[in-house]
Amino acid sequence: MLPTSSRQIHQNGSLNARDAARHTAGAKRYKYLRRLLHFRQMDFEFAMWQMLYLFTSPQKVFRNFQYRKQTKDQWARDDPAFLVLLSIWLCVSTVGFGLVLEMGFVETLKLLLWVVFIDCIGVGLLISTLMWFVTNKYLLKHPSRDYDVEWGYAFDVHLNAFYPLLVILHFLQLFFINHVVVISSDWFLGYFVGNTLWLIAIAYYIYITFLGYSALPFLKNTVVLLYPFALLGLLYVLSISLGWNFTKGLCWFYKHRVQ
């Protein structure tokens, strides 16, 4: 059983009035950004542990979020170490894409800036805000100001789900491009392997997102977050039947948006 905090915390995750004053969104954001400037205060070992378990046992990662709520009165991470390591992964894998696609230094730099600020930060903020709105609007058991999904937690759920997708599509897939997933031609084995990697990556994203919100005791009907699996399976079958090559499309997109 997870240890409990000495503070008075309601079972569904709400704070009493005294603690709420010290745990406003602004205070949490300030603490997070302050730690971002102090690497020695970051627990990179724990962040690496989380990255490993997101592949092998993602439930354990969200059990730790529950423990943080009991001990620190917040669901969202207060340590930016995971974000820093994710950024390093993103940069290294993007440079790898630049090498595989035979981009020059300037083109690779443009691709890196685009992937970091548009694909990761921009899309991440959009998805997190959308999920924050939907869960607070439609999935709360008892709508109240005291019980709601923190935006920071929604962003953390996105980062957790994004990491396996990043490793599969931006790292593992690199070893197949131009060898198995030949982007200059369309053959069955190529788009079968490439599209299967996309299937696994997006399935990870959907499942980890579901785990993230189902871990919150004040949400209901979180199983609806698994419904996109049906559309994903249908799209995969269609892509194999019609010969669509998602990896080829991604490489074409990367090449042309940096020119």
Side-chain angles (χ1 to χ4, degrees):
M1 179 179 295
L2 296 175
T4 57
S5 171
S6 60
R7 294 175 180 149
Q8 297 179 354
I9 305 175
H10 295 289
Q11 185 177 1
N12 55 8
S14 62
L15 298 176
N16 59 36
R18 183 186 62 184
D19 288 336
R22 293 183 292 131
H23 291 80
T24 63
K28 294 175 184 178
R29 182 167 55 249
Y30 171 76
K31 181 180 179 181
Y32 187 88
L33 294 176
R34 184 182 61 183
R35 294 191 67 176
L36 190 61
L37 302 176
H38 298 84
F39 280 84
R40 293 184 179 180
Q41 296 181 8
M42 299 185 198
D43 191 347
F44 289 105
E45 181 179 355
F46 182 67
M48 292 175 64
W49 173 88
Q50 289 184 314
M51 288 182 164
L52 173 63
Y53 275 99
L54 282 172
F55 277 101
T56 60
S57 184
Q59 297 92 335
K60 292 184 178 180
V61 177
F62 289 106
R63 280 201 292 268
N64 176 262
F65 278 73
Q66 294 172 333
Y67 172 70
R68 182 184 300 110
K69 178 60 180 178
Q70 293 176 335
T71 57
K72 298 183 179 181
D73 293 342
Q74 71 178 62
W75 289 99
R77 288 187 178 97
D78 60 345
D79 185 352
F82 187 92
L83 178 61
V84 172
L85 292 181
L86 180 65
S87 301
I88 294 174
W89 263 103
L90 191 62
C91 292
V92 172
S93 62
T94 302
V95 171
F97 246 105
L99 294 175
V100 169
L101 298 181
E102 299 180 347
M103 294 182 179
F105 174 78
V106 176
E107 290 179 328
T108 302
L109 181 60
K110 289 181 180 179
L111 178 63
L112 178 61
L113 294 175
W114 183 284
V115 169
V116 171
F117 291 102
I118 303 299
D119 292 350
C120 182
I121 298 178
V123 175
L125 293 176
L126 180 62
I127 293 177
S128 301
T129 302
L130 177 63
M131 292 302 299
W132 169 78
F133 173 78
V134 170
T135 52
N136 283 315
K137 182 72 173 179
Y138 301 107
L139 300 184
L140 288 179
K141 291 180 180 178
H142 306 288
S144 169
R145 289 175 122 187
D146 296 328
Y147 319 132
D148 64 349
V149 178
E150 301 170 6
W151 186 91
Y153 181 79
F155 187 65
D156 279 336
V157 171
H158 167 73
L159 293 182
N160 288 345
F162 180 73
Y163 173 70
L165 183 147
L166 172 69
V167 173
I168 294 171
L169 296 183
H170 252 237
F171 179 70
L172 294 180
Q173 190 170 224
L174 292 178
F175 298 98
F176 296 93
I177 295 177
N178 293 330
H179 297 287
V180 178
V181 187
V182 183
I183 60 176
S184 60
S185 63
D186 290 312
W187 64 310
F188 176 77
L189 182 60
Y191 59 74
F192 174 76
V193 172
N195 292 2
T196 300
L197 289 174
W198 278 81
L199 172 70
I200 296 172
I202 298 175
Y204 256 113
Y205 187 92
I206 295 172
Y207 179 62
I208 293 177
T209 298
F210 161 74
L211 289 179
Y213 291 103
S214 63
L216 300 179
F218 49 85
L219 293 184
K220 62 180 180 180
N221 300 328
T222 54
V223 69
V224 300
L225 300 177
L226 294 177
Y227 289 176
F229 269 118
L231 179 60
L232 177 64
L234 176 62
L235 185 60
Y236 175 73
V237 173
L238 283 176
S239 69
I240 298 300
S241 302
L242 299 177
W244 298 342
N245 191 329
F246 295 140
T247 301
K248 182 178 180 179
L250 177 67
C251 294
W252 178 88
F253 183 61
Y254 275 176
K255 278 187 173 182
H256 285 77
R257 74 179 180 182
V258 298
Q259 292 179 354

